[in-house]
Amino acid sequence: MKVICQQEKLNFGIQTVSKAISSKVIEPIYGNIKLETSNNNMRLIATSGDISIEILIGVDSVEKEGSITVPSRELGNLIGSFNSGKVEIESDDIKLITITSKGCHYQLNGLPSDQFPSMQKTISEDLITINQETLKNMIKETFFAIAPPDEVRAVLKGSLFEIEGENLTVVSADGRRMAKKTGKLLNSPGKNFEIVVPKKTLNELIRILSEGSEEEVNIFISDSQIDFHIDNIRILSSIIQGKFPNYRQVIPTHCEQSLRINKENLYKALKRASFIAQDLESPNLVKFKVHGSQIIITANTQDVGQAYEEVDLEEPAQSLDIAFNAKYLIDALSSMATTEIIFELSNPVNPGIIKPAQREDYLYVIMPVRLK
């Protein structure tokens, strides 16, 4: 293999695919990036086994076609430190790769590409198409509610993708909160189904999907994999096996009152109060006292201090004392694209609902903290 390409394109490609590589590599080949040339393009692929990322970049010229795998860390550090301009890569397609750029000359030891796991095409007739910005926003507004790594139930370590007719609904839950957002598909498979997409895959999608882009994402789905095609990038991921809990059962069908609140005012008040809410037994605990046209937010930690905040409501509300985990509220408010929210509450033990005041595509359910 012998190819000449631009440092900026090559560096972008390496940084894009290297995110697929696990921090705990099971075999040396899984720590490598596969470089493969054809026509006037170079294909870069990295994998952990559970997720693979591929990108196709344009090059200046391909003098000799071929392929090899190179350690991701060394290749990324080296190319990232070069100045912009031309980079020449030459390999014997077995082990040795030579990299040259403006007076710099390096050799790296690689591994033959035939040892690299193949990135098979997903065999599926179930294709859905969605706008890039729509999918990015759906993931961003639900991602934070995915359960932590120590969660026993594997299906909660990812987000539910539920396809119904022409709609895609993304749901994340951890047993204490649930975020749900629905978006319109540009193309649907003509049948309803559900899959659970791992958190790592969703994190890479947030990073790769373009903000404000009108371009489309094609998604192929099989029984065991989901395959995202985004411009010149492809993400192939395993899906989490198992049945996602019935999220509809946790959505209250009736709430006693609806509070209309400026989102930014509530967010800033909670953020400040959370600096004080550091009690070891009840971390992030804040108390709400709904009274008249205000919510009074308080926090008290013996060795830290006290917090008191007043947040105005647009209309008077029924009196209510209730407590929440401030972090769970802050997570939702910081992810929600809206200026005003509706906070639906009933009593100190039943879940509350937060949703944007001007749209109906998003809903967040949060359990209150029961006070002793």
Side-chain angles (χ1 to χ4, degrees):
M1 178 180 75
K2 187 174 183 180
V3 59
I4 297 174
C5 58
Q6 294 297 314
Q7 183 269 347
E8 297 94 332
K9 288 184 178 180
L10 181 57
N11 187 52
F12 176 77
I14 293 168
Q15 297 305 316
T16 297
V17 303
S18 63
K19 296 296 191 296
I21 297 174
S22 172
S23 58
K24 298 178 181 178
V25 177
I26 54 177
E27 295 179 27
I29 195 71
Y30 284 94
N32 284 14
I33 293 175
K34 181 180 179 180
L35 308 179
E36 182 179 51
T37 57
S38 61
N39 300 322
N40 275 331
N41 295 306
M42 179 186 288
R43 192 180 307 276
L44 291 80
I45 308 172
T47 185
S48 67
D50 292 325
I51 178 174
S52 302
I53 303 178
E54 171 189 285
I55 187 170
L56 190 68
I57 63 171
V59 299
D60 293 358
S61 65
V62 176
E63 296 186 22
K64 180 184 176 184
E65 293 188 354
S67 62
I68 195 169
T69 77
V70 191
S72 170
R73 181 182 300 173
E74 288 77 6
L75 181 65
N77 289 341
L78 189 59
I79 300 301
S81 67
F82 283 166
N83 293 326
S84 60
K86 292 183 178 181
V87 176
E88 181 180 288
I89 298 176
E90 186 173 7
S91 80
D92 59 6
D93 294 345
I94 299 174
K95 184 177 181 180
L96 193 64
I97 180 170
T98 302
I99 303 172
T100 306
S101 176
K102 290 184 179 178
C104 303
H105 185 85
Y106 286 83
Q107 288 187 329
L108 294 176
N109 292 323
L111 291 170
S113 59
D114 59 7
Q115 296 182 20
F116 196 83
S118 60
M119 191 173 177
Q120 300 291 343
K121 182 178 180 180
T122 300
I123 301 173
S124 173
E125 296 180 357
D126 294 328
L127 165 67
I128 65 174
T129 305
I130 191 169
N131 174 274
Q132 278 199 42
E133 183 178 31
T134 300
L135 181 59
K136 187 183 183 89
N137 289 337
M138 292 176 73
I139 298 171
K140 283 175 65 177
E141 291 192 28
T142 55
F143 182 83
F144 63 87
I146 296 173
D150 59 357
E151 170 62 48
V152 175
R153 293 165 291 180
V155 290
L156 296 184
K157 296 180 184 180
S159 291
L160 173 70
F161 275 38
E162 180 184 64
I163 292 91
E164 287 188 330
E166 297 180 349
N167 292 322
L168 169 65
T169 299
V170 178
V171 182
S172 302
D174 65 4
R176 295 167 293 276
R177 53 183 174 168
M178 185 270 289
K180 176 180 81 78
K181 180 154 185 180
T182 300
K184 202 77 172 175
L185 294 172
L186 302 175
N187 176 73
S188 60
K191 64 179 182 180
N192 300 341
F193 56 90
E194 301 177 356
I195 60 167
V196 182
V197 183
K199 183 176 184 177
K200 179 176 175 62
T201 304
L202 297 168
N203 193 43
E204 293 313 308
L205 285 167
I206 292 173
R207 188 175 59 84
I208 290 171
L209 290 166
S210 299
E211 201 84 54
S213 173
E214 293 297 322
E215 295 297 318
E216 298 176 355
V217 182
N218 289 319
I219 307 171
F220 297 87
I221 301 169
S222 70
D223 292 337
S224 60
Q225 292 180 317
I226 185 165
D227 194 351
F228 298 87
H229 292 246
I230 309 162
D231 299 326
N232 60 331
I233 300 172
R234 180 183 170 207
I235 302 176
L236 178 65
S237 169
S238 300
I239 60 177
I240 298 175
Q241 299 298 325
K243 180 71 174 175
F244 198 86
N246 185 351
Y247 67 86
R248 292 177 176 85
Q249 290 182 343
V250 305
I251 302 174
T253 56
H254 173 73
C255 290
E256 295 296 328
Q257 58 180 327
S258 296
L259 314 180
R260 194 180 184 102
I261 314 168
N262 179 280
K263 186 198 80 169
E264 194 67 15
N265 291 345
L266 180 59
Y267 170 79
K268 288 181 177 179
L270 286 165
K271 193 72 175 176
R272 290 190 292 265
S274 69
F275 300 148
I276 305 299
Q278 299 178 30
D279 187 83
L280 294 178
E281 291 187 6
S282 302
N284 302 307
L285 176 68
V286 292
K287 297 177 181 178
F288 280 28
K289 187 177 188 65
V290 182
H291 182 72
S293 297
Q294 285 186 329
I295 298 177
I296 297 171
I297 301 173
T298 58
N300 188 346
T301 302
Q302 185 173 356
D303 296 331
V304 179
Q306 296 180 343
Y308 177 94
E309 293 274 355
E310 294 178 353
V311 178
D312 292 334
L313 303 175
E314 290 202 0
E315 297 178 356
Q318 302 172 31
S319 295
L320 175 66
D321 291 323
I322 192 169
F324 291 102
N325 183 315
K327 181 182 182 303
Y328 293 169
L329 291 171
I330 290 168
D331 286 345
L333 295 174
S334 63
S335 302
M336 204 180 302
T338 186
T339 55
E340 288 187 317
I341 62 162
I342 302 295
F343 201 162
E344 298 182 351
L345 297 169
S346 290
N347 56 57
V349 296
N350 285 354
I353 296 176
I354 299 177
K355 51 191 177 184
Q358 287 85 21
R359 53 189 176 91
E360 299 180 354
D361 61 345
Y362 182 82
L363 181 144
Y364 180 63
V365 178
I366 179 170
M367 289 297 299
V369 177
R370 295 196 182 195
L371 299 175
K372 296 178 182 179

